[in-house]
């Protein structure tokens, strides 16, 4: 059964968390090249631009990337938005959360 701390750790030879061969739940996009980086960045921008947020597009974009890809998009984001809007930034209640998630573990 589940241990007190939420992990399936037991002393009877069961698996423990994390497994040695564990992988993230999202394998990421194959062939994540500059074109894919541009597309993900543009889609994120579109999802947060203007009034409101396009949550479906936001989830579609973020769910297809693994951590390494999210970090690339996060690093590229600031430069891309600065070029796109000069001094303006897209406004959204999800912007800070999404960018934090892109950079997070």
């Amino acid at each position: 059964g589940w241990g007190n701390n939420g992990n399936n750790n037991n002393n009877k030879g069961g698996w423990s968390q994390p497994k040695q061969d564990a992988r993230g739940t999202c394998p990421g996009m194959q062939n994540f090249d500059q074109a894919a980086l541009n597309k993900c960045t543009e889609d994120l921008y579109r999802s947060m631009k203007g009034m409101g947020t396009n949550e479906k597009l936001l989830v579609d974009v973020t769910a297809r990337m693994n951590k390494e890809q999210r970090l690339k998009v996060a690093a590229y984001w600031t430069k891309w938005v600065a070029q796109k809007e000069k001094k303006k930034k897209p406004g959204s209640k999800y912007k800070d959360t999404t960018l934090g998630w892109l950079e997070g573990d």
Side-chain angles (χ1 to χ4, degrees):
W2 292 98
N4 292 335
N5 62 2
N7 294 329
N8 191 8
N9 294 324
N10 63 42
N11 295 328
K12 298 178 183 170
W15 62 270
S16 63
Q17 188 71 327
K19 288 184 171 183
Q20 292 291 348
D21 61 347
R23 291 191 242 167
T25 56
C26 181
M29 299 170 58
Q30 291 189 358
N31 304 319
F32 193 77
D33 57 7
Q34 187 64 43
L37 177 62
N38 289 341
K39 174 83 169 115
C40 287
T41 304
E42 289 172 13
D43 286 349
L44 278 174
Y45 178 81
R46 284 189 309 120
S47 76
M48 294 183 271
K49 185 177 179 190
M51 297 294 287
T53 301
N54 182 338
E55 288 91 356
K56 182 181 181 333
L57 180 57
L58 181 69
V59 170
D60 287 347
V61 173
T62 56
R64 65 185 175 215
M65 293 182 284
N66 62 25
K67 181 180 178 181
E68 180 182 340
Q69 293 164 346
R70 292 190 318 260
L71 291 172
K72 287 179 182 180
V73 170
Y76 187 63
W77 172 267
T78 304
K79 175 182 164 186
W80 188 87
V81 169
Q83 286 179 330
K84 176 84 175 160
E85 299 230 341
K86 303 299 179 206
K87 294 185 179 184
K88 232 168 64 174
K89 294 183 181 176
S92 167
K93 65 182 181 179
Y94 294 100
K95 181 184 76 169
D96 292 336
T97 302
T98 301
L99 293 178
W101 178 79
L102 285 168
E103 295 172 340
D105 291 326

